[in-house]
Amino acid sequence: MRPSLLRMAHANTLHMDPALVRYANMNVKRHEYFRWTPRTAWLTFTYVVAIPSSLLYLAYRTDGKYDLRGKWRGDTVAEF
């Protein structure tokens, strides 16, 4: 048998699940289906602005306040 016929005979023996193929195509083209709605705007604001700014504020307020290394029993962890 010639090599080209052998490749053609075994080219598509594995059948893909149509649902997984649709999911993969949707995942690749996700940016084409995105729309700004009140929910997506709120989630974007929360994850891009609110959470990082609150963590930054918390880190700024407690910077240098706690020392967790080299403490004896009964010593406080708060420095001031």
Side-chain angles (χ1 to χ4, degrees):
M1 197 175 228
R2 293 187 315 189
S4 61
L5 291 176
L6 186 62
R7 273 186 288 157
M8 288 174 48
H10 297 289
N12 291 323
T13 57
L14 180 65
H15 296 286
M16 299 294 290
D17 183 13
L20 290 176
V21 172
R22 277 195 309 270
Y23 177 75
N25 288 334
M26 187 269 308
N27 202 15
V28 169
K29 297 182 177 187
R30 186 179 300 260
H31 64 280
E32 295 178 9
Y33 300 112
F34 179 79
R35 291 186 184 192
W36 283 107
T37 62
R39 182 176 186 264
T40 57
W42 175 249
L43 287 173
T44 302
F45 174 78
T46 301
Y47 288 116
V48 173
V49 176
I51 291 175
S53 62
S54 63
L55 289 175
L56 184 65
Y57 175 76
L58 182 67
Y60 176 73
R61 293 286 294 164
T62 60
D63 185 33
K65 186 172 184 177
Y66 301 107
D67 186 20
L68 301 176
R69 293 175 20 152
K71 294 292 182 182
W72 291 91
R73 187 182 312 181
D75 288 346
T76 63
V77 292
E79 293 293 321
F80 55 90

mmCIF file of all heavy atoms in Angstrom, residues 4-49:
data_model
loop_
_atom_site.group_PDB
_atom_site.id
_atom_site.type_symbol
_atom_site.label_atom_id
_atom_site.label_comp_id
_atom_site.label_asym_id
_atom_site.label_seq_id
_atom_site.Cartn_x
_atom_site.Cartn_y
_atom_site.Cartn_z
ATOM 1 N N SER A 4 0.564 7.466 0.932
ATOM 2 C CA SER A 4 -0.492 8.473 0.901
ATOM 3 C C SER A 4 -1.858 7.845 1.152
ATOM 4 O O SER A 4 -2.706 8.421 1.819
ATOM 5 C CB SER A 4 -0.481 9.214 -0.432
ATOM 6 O OG SER A 4 -0.721 8.303 -1.493
ATOM 7 N N LEU A 5 -2.073 6.641 0.630
ATOM 8 C CA LEU A 5 -3.340 5.964 0.886
ATOM 9 C C LEU A 5 -3.435 5.517 2.343
ATOM 10 O O LEU A 5 -4.514 5.521 2.931
ATOM 11 C CB LEU A 5 -3.495 4.766 -0.048
ATOM 12 C CG LEU A 5 -3.712 5.096 -1.523
ATOM 13 C CD1 LEU A 5 -3.756 3.819 -2.335
ATOM 14 C CD2 LEU A 5 -4.988 5.879 -1.699
ATOM 15 N N LEU A 6 -2.318 5.125 2.897
ATOM 16 C CA LEU A 6 -2.311 4.708 4.288
ATOM 17 C C LEU A 6 -2.665 5.873 5.214
ATOM 18 O O LEU A 6 -3.434 5.715 6.160
ATOM 19 C CB LEU A 6 -0.934 4.146 4.654
ATOM 20 C CG LEU A 6 -0.794 3.542 6.044
ATOM 21 C CD1 LEU A 6 -1.742 2.359 6.173
ATOM 22 C CD2 LEU A 6 0.624 3.122 6.295
ATOM 23 N N ARG A 7 -2.146 7.054 4.917
ATOM 24 C CA ARG A 7 -2.489 8.227 5.729
ATOM 25 C C ARG A 7 -3.948 8.604 5.576
ATOM 26 O O ARG A 7 -4.609 8.995 6.520
ATOM 27 C CB ARG A 7 -1.613 9.412 5.348
ATOM 28 C CG ARG A 7 -0.312 9.437 6.119
ATOM 29 C CD ARG A 7 0.453 10.665 5.824
ATOM 30 N NE ARG A 7 0.963 10.497 4.469
ATOM 31 C CZ ARG A 7 1.308 11.473 3.661
ATOM 32 N NH1 ARG A 7 1.219 12.707 4.046
ATOM 33 N NH2 ARG A 7 1.753 11.249 2.453
ATOM 34 N N MET A 8 -4.478 8.501 4.388
ATOM 35 C CA MET A 8 -5.879 8.855 4.162
ATOM 36 C C MET A 8 -6.812 7.881 4.869
ATOM 37 O O MET A 8 -7.868 8.258 5.355
ATOM 38 C CB MET A 8 -6.187 8.886 2.671
ATOM 39 C CG MET A 8 -5.572 10.063 1.967
ATOM 40 S SD MET A 8 -5.764 10.048 0.191
ATOM 41 C CE MET A 8 -7.463 9.688 -0.017
ATOM 42 N N ALA A 9 -6.425 6.623 4.936
ATOM 43 C CA ALA A 9 -7.293 5.628 5.555
ATOM 44 C C ALA A 9 -7.394 5.833 7.063
ATOM 45 O O ALA A 9 -8.417 5.529 7.663
ATOM 46 C CB ALA A 9 -6.774 4.231 5.240
ATOM 47 N N HIS A 10 -6.357 6.367 7.700
ATOM 48 C CA HIS A 10 -6.354 6.513 9.153
ATOM 49 C C HIS A 10 -6.371 7.972 9.595
ATOM 50 O O HIS A 10 -6.039 8.270 10.721
ATOM 51 C CB HIS A 10 -5.112 5.827 9.732
ATOM 52 C CG HIS A 10 -5.093 4.358 9.483
ATOM 53 N ND1 HIS A 10 -5.937 3.501 10.126
ATOM 54 C CD2 HIS A 10 -4.348 3.597 8.642
ATOM 55 C CE1 HIS A 10 -5.713 2.270 9.716
ATOM 56 N NE2 HIS A 10 -4.748 2.300 8.803
ATOM 57 N N ALA A 11 -6.780 8.876 8.738
ATOM 58 C CA ALA A 11 -6.708 10.294 9.068
ATOM 59 C C ALA A 11 -7.741 10.688 10.118
ATOM 60 O O ALA A 11 -7.425 11.372 11.083
ATOM 61 C CB ALA A 11 -6.879 11.140 7.819
ATOM 62 N N ASN A 12 -8.981 10.282 9.962
ATOM 63 C CA ASN A 12 -10.049 10.736 10.861
ATOM 64 C C ASN A 12 -10.697 9.567 11.587
ATOM 65 O O ASN A 12 -11.917 9.432 11.604
ATOM 66 C CB ASN A 12 -11.104 11.522 10.083
ATOM 67 C CG ASN A 12 -10.574 12.844 9.595
ATOM 68 O OD1 ASN A 12 -9.803 13.472 10.291
ATOM 69 N ND2 ASN A 12 -10.948 13.241 8.406
ATOM 70 N N THR A 13 -9.915 8.733 12.187
ATOM 71 C CA THR A 13 -10.506 7.620 12.915
ATOM 72 C C THR A 13 -10.966 8.027 14.310
ATOM 73 O O THR A 13 -11.782 7.355 14.902
ATOM 74 C CB THR A 13 -9.502 6.462 13.035
ATOM 75 O OG1 THR A 13 -8.335 6.943 13.670
ATOM 76 C CG2 THR A 13 -9.175 5.898 11.669
ATOM 77 N N LEU A 14 -10.455 9.137 14.835
ATOM 78 C CA LEU A 14 -10.860 9.612 16.151
ATOM 79 C C LEU A 14 -11.926 10.684 15.967
ATOM 80 O O LEU A 14 -11.691 11.725 15.364
ATOM 81 C CB LEU A 14 -9.659 10.205 16.894
ATOM 82 C CG LEU A 14 -9.925 10.738 18.288
ATOM 83 C CD1 LEU A 14 -10.339 9.601 19.202
ATOM 84 C CD2 LEU A 14 -8.706 11.432 18.830
ATOM 85 N N HIS A 15 -13.125 10.439 16.483
ATOM 86 C CA HIS A 15 -14.221 11.388 16.345
ATOM 87 C C HIS A 15 -14.286 12.266 17.584
ATOM 88 O O HIS A 15 -14.256 11.779 18.715
ATOM 89 C CB HIS A 15 -15.547 10.658 16.151
ATOM 90 C CG HIS A 15 -15.593 9.873 14.881
ATOM 91 N ND1 HIS A 15 -15.726 10.470 13.655
ATOM 92 C CD2 HIS A 15 -15.495 8.552 14.644
ATOM 93 C CE1 HIS A 15 -15.721 9.548 12.716
ATOM 94 N NE2 HIS A 15 -15.575 8.364 13.290
ATOM 95 N N MET A 16 -14.373 13.554 17.355
ATOM 96 C CA MET A 16 -14.439 14.507 18.459
ATOM 97 C C MET A 16 -15.884 14.636 18.943
ATOM 98 O O MET A 16 -16.823 14.530 18.160
ATOM 99 C CB MET A 16 -13.925 15.873 18.001
ATOM 100 C CG MET A 16 -12.496 15.861 17.535
ATOM 101 S SD MET A 16 -11.351 15.490 18.850
ATOM 102 C CE MET A 16 -11.474 16.976 19.798
ATOM 103 N N ASP A 17 -16.026 14.910 20.225
ATOM 104 C CA ASP A 17 -17.341 15.148 20.797
ATOM 105 C C ASP A 17 -17.818 16.523 20.324
ATOM 106 O O ASP A 17 -17.123 17.522 20.520
ATOM 107 C CB ASP A 17 -17.247 15.105 22.311
ATOM 108 C CG ASP A 17 -18.587 15.264 23.000
ATOM 109 O OD1 ASP A 17 -19.622 15.172 22.315
ATOM 110 O OD2 ASP A 17 -18.597 15.480 24.224
ATOM 111 N N PRO A 18 -18.989 16.616 19.708
ATOM 112 C CA PRO A 18 -19.450 17.913 19.189
ATOM 113 C C PRO A 18 -19.599 18.979 20.268
ATOM 114 O O PRO A 18 -19.350 20.160 20.024
ATOM 115 C CB PRO A 18 -20.800 17.597 18.555
ATOM 116 C CG PRO A 18 -20.805 16.140 18.334
ATOM 117 C CD PRO A 18 -19.893 15.546 19.354
ATOM 118 N N ALA A 19 -19.983 18.589 21.462
ATOM 119 C CA ALA A 19 -20.125 19.567 22.541
ATOM 120 C C ALA A 19 -18.770 20.141 22.937
ATOM 121 O O ALA A 19 -18.651 21.352 23.188
ATOM 122 C CB ALA A 19 -20.798 18.923 23.747
ATOM 123 N N LEU A 20 -17.730 19.289 22.960
ATOM 124 C CA LEU A 20 -16.395 19.787 23.300
ATOM 125 C C LEU A 20 -15.836 20.671 22.191
ATOM 126 O O LEU A 20 -15.132 21.639 22.466
ATOM 127 C CB LEU A 20 -15.448 18.621 23.574
ATOM 128 C CG LEU A 20 -15.716 17.859 24.859
ATOM 129 C CD1 LEU A 20 -14.781 16.676 24.975
ATOM 130 C CD2 LEU A 20 -15.575 18.763 26.051
ATOM 131 N N VAL A 21 -16.147 20.356 20.954
ATOM 132 C CA VAL A 21 -15.700 21.190 19.835
ATOM 133 C C VAL A 21 -16.368 22.553 19.911
ATOM 134 O O VAL A 21 -15.715 23.591 19.742
ATOM 135 C CB VAL A 21 -16.003 20.498 18.492
ATOM 136 C CG1 VAL A 21 -15.732 21.429 17.324
ATOM 137 C CG2 VAL A 21 -15.186 19.232 18.363
ATOM 138 N N ARG A 22 -17.675 22.597 20.204
ATOM 139 C CA ARG A 22 -18.381 23.881 20.347
ATOM 140 C C ARG A 22 -17.815 24.682 21.508
ATOM 141 O O ARG A 22 -17.646 25.898 21.421
ATOM 142 C CB ARG A 22 -19.873 23.641 20.559
ATOM 143 C CG ARG A 22 -20.645 23.420 19.298
ATOM 144 C CD ARG A 22 -22.144 23.557 19.511
ATOM 145 N NE ARG A 22 -22.634 22.760 20.623
ATOM 146 C CZ ARG A 22 -23.054 21.508 20.524
ATOM 147 N NH1 ARG A 22 -23.036 20.908 19.368
ATOM 148 N NH2 ARG A 22 -23.484 20.868 21.575
ATOM 149 N N TYR A 23 -17.529 24.009 22.623
ATOM 150 C CA TYR A 23 -16.958 24.692 23.781
ATOM 151 C C TYR A 23 -15.585 25.260 23.466
ATOM 152 O O TYR A 23 -15.268 26.383 23.847
ATOM 153 C CB TYR A 23 -16.877 23.739 24.971
ATOM 154 C CG TYR A 23 -16.227 24.362 26.173
ATOM 155 C CD1 TYR A 23 -16.911 25.288 26.943
ATOM 156 C CD2 TYR A 23 -14.923 24.060 26.525
ATOM 157 C CE1 TYR A 23 -16.315 25.887 28.033
ATOM 158 C CE2 TYR A 23 -14.316 24.642 27.609
ATOM 159 C CZ TYR A 23 -15.027 25.554 28.362
ATOM 160 O OH TYR A 23 -14.433 26.148 29.431
ATOM 161 N N ALA A 24 -14.763 24.508 22.761
ATOM 162 C CA ALA A 24 -13.430 24.984 22.406
ATOM 163 C C ALA A 24 -13.521 26.195 21.478
ATOM 164 O O ALA A 24 -12.783 27.173 21.641
ATOM 165 C CB ALA A 24 -12.631 23.869 21.752
ATOM 166 N N ASN A 25 -14.429 26.154 20.514
ATOM 167 C CA ASN A 25 -14.601 27.297 19.614
ATOM 168 C C ASN A 25 -15.131 28.513 20.361
ATOM 169 O O ASN A 25 -14.716 29.643 20.101
ATOM 170 C CB ASN A 25 -15.540 26.931 18.468
ATOM 171 C CG ASN A 25 -14.903 25.981 17.492
ATOM 172 O OD1 ASN A 25 -13.681 25.944 17.357
ATOM 173 N ND2 ASN A 25 -15.710 25.189 16.819
ATOM 174 N N MET A 26 -16.052 28.299 21.295
ATOM 175 C CA MET A 26 -16.580 29.412 22.077
ATOM 176 C C MET A 26 -15.493 30.008 22.956
ATOM 177 O O MET A 26 -15.419 31.221 23.135
ATOM 178 C CB MET A 26 -17.753 28.929 22.931
ATOM 179 C CG MET A 26 -18.510 30.010 23.660
ATOM 180 S SD MET A 26 -17.956 30.425 25.310
ATOM 181 C CE MET A 26 -17.911 28.871 26.129
ATOM 182 N N ASN A 27 -14.624 29.171 23.491
ATOM 183 C CA ASN A 27 -13.563 29.661 24.358
ATOM 184 C C ASN A 27 -12.548 30.484 23.568
ATOM 185 O O ASN A 27 -12.021 31.473 24.074
ATOM 186 C CB ASN A 27 -12.878 28.476 25.035
ATOM 187 C CG ASN A 27 -12.172 28.871 26.289
ATOM 188 O OD1 ASN A 27 -12.396 29.948 26.825
ATOM 189 N ND2 ASN A 27 -11.306 28.022 26.775
ATOM 190 N N VAL A 28 -12.282 30.098 22.327
ATOM 191 C CA VAL A 28 -11.359 30.849 21.486
ATOM 192 C C VAL A 28 -11.968 32.194 21.089
ATOM 193 O O VAL A 28 -11.284 33.210 21.032
ATOM 194 C CB VAL A 28 -10.978 30.018 20.244
ATOM 195 C CG1 VAL A 28 -10.251 30.860 19.222
ATOM 196 C CG2 VAL A 28 -10.140 28.831 20.644
ATOM 197 N N LYS A 29 -13.271 32.210 20.821
ATOM 198 C CA LYS A 29 -13.948 33.424 20.351
ATOM 199 C C LYS A 29 -14.720 34.127 21.460
ATOM 200 O O LYS A 29 -15.673 34.845 21.202
ATOM 201 C CB LYS A 29 -14.916 33.067 19.228
ATOM 202 C CG LYS A 29 -14.240 32.515 18.011
ATOM 203 C CD LYS A 29 -15.265 32.231 16.956
ATOM 204 C CE LYS A 29 -14.598 31.741 15.699
ATOM 205 N NZ LYS A 29 -15.551 31.627 14.612
ATOM 206 N N ARG A 30 -14.291 33.942 22.697
ATOM 207 C CA ARG A 30 -15.019 34.518 23.832
ATOM 208 C C ARG A 30 -15.123 36.043 23.736
ATOM 209 O O ARG A 30 -16.131 36.637 24.106
ATOM 210 C CB ARG A 30 -14.326 34.129 25.130
ATOM 211 C CG ARG A 30 -15.049 34.539 26.374
ATOM 212 C CD ARG A 30 -14.312 34.102 27.604
ATOM 213 N NE ARG A 30 -14.143 32.675 27.667
ATOM 214 C CZ ARG A 30 -14.907 31.869 28.405
ATOM 215 N NH1 ARG A 30 -15.866 32.376 29.120
ATOM 216 N NH2 ARG A 30 -14.693 30.582 28.424
ATOM 217 N N HIS A 31 -14.081 36.695 23.254
ATOM 218 C CA HIS A 31 -14.099 38.151 23.170
ATOM 219 C C HIS A 31 -15.138 38.648 22.167
ATOM 220 O O HIS A 31 -15.597 39.781 22.260
ATOM 221 C CB HIS A 31 -12.716 38.660 22.776
ATOM 222 C CG HIS A 31 -12.285 38.231 21.410
ATOM 223 N ND1 HIS A 31 -11.775 36.979 21.168
ATOM 224 C CD2 HIS A 31 -12.306 38.877 20.224
ATOM 225 C CE1 HIS A 31 -11.488 36.878 19.874
ATOM 226 N NE2 HIS A 31 -11.801 38.007 19.286
ATOM 227 N N GLU A 32 -15.534 37.821 21.214
ATOM 228 C CA GLU A 32 -16.544 38.244 20.240
ATOM 229 C C GLU A 32 -17.949 38.226 20.825
ATOM 230 O O GLU A 32 -18.836 38.911 20.331
ATOM 231 C CB GLU A 32 -16.499 37.338 19.016
ATOM 232 C CG GLU A 32 -15.202 37.453 18.237
ATOM 233 C CD GLU A 32 -15.171 36.518 17.057
ATOM 234 O OE1 GLU A 32 -16.209 35.909 16.737
ATOM 235 O OE2 GLU A 32 -14.089 36.386 16.450
ATOM 236 N N TYR A 33 -18.177 37.432 21.856
ATOM 237 C CA TYR A 33 -19.504 37.303 22.455
ATOM 238 C C TYR A 33 -19.677 38.154 23.712
ATOM 239 O O TYR A 33 -20.755 38.174 24.291
ATOM 240 C CB TYR A 33 -19.783 35.837 22.809
ATOM 241 C CG TYR A 33 -19.737 34.922 21.624
ATOM 242 C CD1 TYR A 33 -18.735 33.975 21.497
ATOM 243 C CD2 TYR A 33 -20.688 35.014 20.620
ATOM 244 C CE1 TYR A 33 -18.688 33.132 20.403
ATOM 245 C CE2 TYR A 33 -20.647 34.180 19.521
ATOM 246 C CZ TYR A 33 -19.650 33.242 19.421
ATOM 247 O OH TYR A 33 -19.603 32.419 18.346
ATOM 248 N N PHE A 34 -18.631 38.856 24.145
ATOM 249 C CA PHE A 34 -18.712 39.634 25.386
ATOM 250 C C PHE A 34 -19.536 40.896 25.177
ATOM 251 O O PHE A 34 -19.423 41.574 24.154
ATOM 252 C CB PHE A 34 -17.306 40.012 25.856
ATOM 253 C CG PHE A 34 -17.316 40.827 27.107
ATOM 254 C CD1 PHE A 34 -17.502 40.228 28.329
ATOM 255 C CD2 PHE A 34 -17.148 42.195 27.051
ATOM 256 C CE1 PHE A 34 -17.515 40.972 29.491
ATOM 257 C CE2 PHE A 34 -17.158 42.947 28.208
ATOM 258 C CZ PHE A 34 -17.342 42.325 29.420
ATOM 259 N N ARG A 35 -20.365 41.201 26.152
ATOM 260 C CA ARG A 35 -21.145 42.441 26.138
ATOM 261 C C ARG A 35 -21.080 43.070 27.528
ATOM 262 O O ARG A 35 -21.085 42.384 28.536
ATOM 263 C CB ARG A 35 -22.604 42.171 25.798
ATOM 264 C CG ARG A 35 -22.807 41.748 24.396
ATOM 265 C CD ARG A 35 -24.256 41.644 24.076
ATOM 266 N NE ARG A 35 -24.360 41.132 22.717
ATOM 267 C CZ ARG A 35 -25.458 41.119 22.040
ATOM 268 N NH1 ARG A 35 -26.572 41.554 22.582
ATOM 269 N NH2 ARG A 35 -25.478 40.649 20.824
ATOM 270 N N TRP A 36 -21.033 44.400 27.532
ATOM 271 C CA TRP A 36 -21.065 45.110 28.800
ATOM 272 C C TRP A 36 -22.504 45.160 29.279
ATOM 273 O O TRP A 36 -23.366 45.735 28.636
ATOM 274 C CB TRP A 36 -20.514 46.518 28.656
ATOM 275 C CG TRP A 36 -19.032 46.555 28.585
ATOM 276 C CD1 TRP A 36 -18.277 46.793 27.497
ATOM 277 C CD2 TRP A 36 -18.125 46.326 29.656
ATOM 278 N NE1 TRP A 36 -16.948 46.726 27.818
ATOM 279 C CE2 TRP A 36 -16.825 46.449 29.132
ATOM 280 C CE3 TRP A 36 -18.280 46.036 31.006
ATOM 281 C CZ2 TRP A 36 -15.692 46.285 29.917
ATOM 282 C CZ3 TRP A 36 -17.153 45.874 31.786
ATOM 283 C CH2 TRP A 36 -15.880 46.001 31.240
ATOM 284 N N THR A 37 -22.749 44.560 30.404
ATOM 285 C CA THR A 37 -24.048 44.614 31.067
ATOM 286 C C THR A 37 -23.804 45.178 32.463
ATOM 287 O O THR A 37 -22.651 45.311 32.888
ATOM 288 C CB THR A 37 -24.663 43.207 31.164
ATOM 289 O OG1 THR A 37 -23.810 42.373 31.944
ATOM 290 C CG2 THR A 37 -24.859 42.593 29.776
ATOM 291 N N PRO A 38 -24.843 45.528 33.176
ATOM 292 C CA PRO A 38 -24.618 46.007 34.544
ATOM 293 C C PRO A 38 -23.882 44.981 35.415
ATOM 294 O O PRO A 38 -23.040 45.346 36.247
ATOM 295 C CB PRO A 38 -26.026 46.257 35.075
ATOM 296 C CG PRO A 38 -26.819 46.582 33.860
ATOM 297 C CD PRO A 38 -26.247 45.725 32.771
ATOM 298 N N ARG A 39 -24.148 43.722 35.199
ATOM 299 C CA ARG A 39 -23.465 42.685 35.988
ATOM 300 C C ARG A 39 -21.985 42.614 35.643
ATOM 301 O O ARG A 39 -21.132 42.548 36.533
ATOM 302 C CB ARG A 39 -24.123 41.332 35.736
ATOM 303 C CG ARG A 39 -23.512 40.223 36.539
ATOM 304 C CD ARG A 39 -24.265 38.909 36.317
ATOM 305 N NE ARG A 39 -23.760 37.876 37.188
ATOM 306 C CZ ARG A 39 -22.849 36.991 36.833
ATOM 307 N NH1 ARG A 39 -22.357 37.015 35.621
ATOM 308 N NH2 ARG A 39 -22.437 36.077 37.679
ATOM 309 N N THR A 40 -21.634 42.623 34.356
ATOM 310 C CA THR A 40 -20.220 42.539 33.991
ATOM 311 C C THR A 40 -19.480 43.809 34.396
ATOM 312 O O THR A 40 -18.307 43.746 34.765
ATOM 313 C CB THR A 40 -20.043 42.278 32.489
ATOM 314 O OG1 THR A 40 -20.706 43.297 31.747
ATOM 315 C CG2 THR A 40 -20.581 40.917 32.111
ATOM 316 N N ALA A 41 -20.147 44.951 34.336
ATOM 317 C CA ALA A 41 -19.509 46.194 34.772
ATOM 318 C C ALA A 41 -19.238 46.152 36.279
ATOM 319 O O ALA A 41 -18.160 46.551 36.732
ATOM 320 C CB ALA A 41 -20.392 47.383 34.427
ATOM 321 N N TRP A 42 -20.195 45.661 37.041
ATOM 322 C CA TRP A 42 -20.011 45.577 38.492
ATOM 323 C C TRP A 42 -18.903 44.593 38.844
ATOM 324 O O TRP A 42 -18.064 44.873 39.707
ATOM 325 C CB TRP A 42 -21.319 45.183 39.157
ATOM 326 C CG TRP A 42 -21.186 44.959 40.618
ATOM 327 C CD1 TRP A 42 -21.283 43.784 41.278
ATOM 328 C CD2 TRP A 42 -20.896 45.941 41.619
ATOM 329 N NE1 TRP A 42 -21.082 43.958 42.613
ATOM 330 C CE2 TRP A 42 -20.843 45.275 42.863
ATOM 331 C CE3 TRP A 42 -20.671 47.302 41.591
ATOM 332 C CZ2 TRP A 42 -20.568 45.940 44.045
ATOM 333 C CZ3 TRP A 42 -20.403 47.961 42.783
ATOM 334 C CH2 TRP A 42 -20.361 47.289 43.985
ATOM 335 N N LEU A 43 -18.882 43.427 38.202
ATOM 336 C CA LEU A 43 -17.836 42.442 38.476
ATOM 337 C C LEU A 43 -16.464 42.979 38.086
ATOM 338 O O LEU A 43 -15.478 42.766 38.805
ATOM 339 C CB LEU A 43 -18.121 41.141 37.726
ATOM 340 C CG LEU A 43 -19.257 40.294 38.286
ATOM 341 C CD1 LEU A 43 -19.558 39.130 37.354
ATOM 342 C CD2 LEU A 43 -18.913 39.791 39.662
ATOM 343 N N THR A 44 -16.376 43.680 36.968
ATOM 344 C CA THR A 44 -15.102 44.251 36.551
ATOM 345 C C THR A 44 -14.625 45.293 37.550
ATOM 346 O O THR A 44 -13.454 45.314 37.934
ATOM 347 C CB THR A 44 -15.231 44.865 35.156
ATOM 348 O OG1 THR A 44 -15.660 43.852 34.252
ATOM 349 C CG2 THR A 44 -13.918 45.440 34.681
ATOM 350 N N PHE A 45 -15.513 46.163 37.973
ATOM 351 C CA PHE A 45 -15.152 47.167 38.969
ATOM 352 C C PHE A 45 -14.695 46.503 40.266
ATOM 353 O O PHE A 45 -13.696 46.923 40.866
ATOM 354 C CB PHE A 45 -16.337 48.097 39.253
ATOM 355 C CG PHE A 45 -16.066 49.057 40.375
ATOM 356 C CD1 PHE A 45 -15.282 50.173 40.159
ATOM 357 C CD2 PHE A 45 -16.570 48.822 41.637
ATOM 358 C CE1 PHE A 45 -15.008 51.061 41.192
ATOM 359 C CE2 PHE A 45 -16.311 49.697 42.673
ATOM 360 C CZ PHE A 45 -15.525 50.818 42.451
ATOM 361 N N THR A 46 -15.400 45.472 40.683
ATOM 362 C CA THR A 46 -15.061 44.804 41.938
ATOM 363 C C THR A 46 -13.680 44.174 41.882
ATOM 364 O O THR A 46 -12.863 44.369 42.785
ATOM 365 C CB THR A 46 -16.109 43.729 42.262
ATOM 366 O OG1 THR A 46 -17.389 44.352 42.350
ATOM 367 C CG2 THR A 46 -15.798 43.035 43.565
ATOM 368 N N TYR A 47 -13.403 43.425 40.818
ATOM 369 C CA TYR A 47 -12.141 42.688 40.747
ATOM 370 C C TYR A 47 -10.960 43.533 40.286
ATOM 371 O O TYR A 47 -9.822 43.175 40.557
ATOM 372 C CB TYR A 47 -12.287 41.469 39.833
ATOM 373 C CG TYR A 47 -13.124 40.383 40.461
ATOM 374 C CD1 TYR A 47 -14.330 39.992 39.901
ATOM 375 C CD2 TYR A 47 -12.718 39.759 41.624
ATOM 376 C CE1 TYR A 47 -15.093 39.005 40.476
ATOM 377 C CE2 TYR A 47 -13.477 38.774 42.211
ATOM 378 C CZ TYR A 47 -14.663 38.398 41.628
ATOM 379 O OH TYR A 47 -15.418 37.427 42.208
ATOM 380 N N VAL A 48 -11.207 44.641 39.598
ATOM 381 C CA VAL A 48 -10.102 45.456 39.092
ATOM 382 C C VAL A 48 -9.808 46.639 40.005
ATOM 383 O O VAL A 48 -8.653 47.045 40.143
ATOM 384 C CB VAL A 48 -10.402 45.931 37.656
ATOM 385 C CG1 VAL A 48 -9.372 46.903 37.160
ATOM 386 C CG2 VAL A 48 -10.486 44.737 36.720
ATOM 387 N N VAL A 49 -10.827 47.181 40.667
ATOM 388 C CA VAL A 49 -10.626 48.386 41.470
ATOM 389 C C VAL A 49 -10.840 48.132 42.963
ATOM 390 O O VAL A 49 -9.953 48.425 43.774
ATOM 391 C CB VAL A 49 -11.569 49.518 40.984
ATOM 392 C CG1 VAL A 49 -11.444 50.743 41.861
ATOM 393 C CG2 VAL A 49 -11.270 49.866 39.544
#
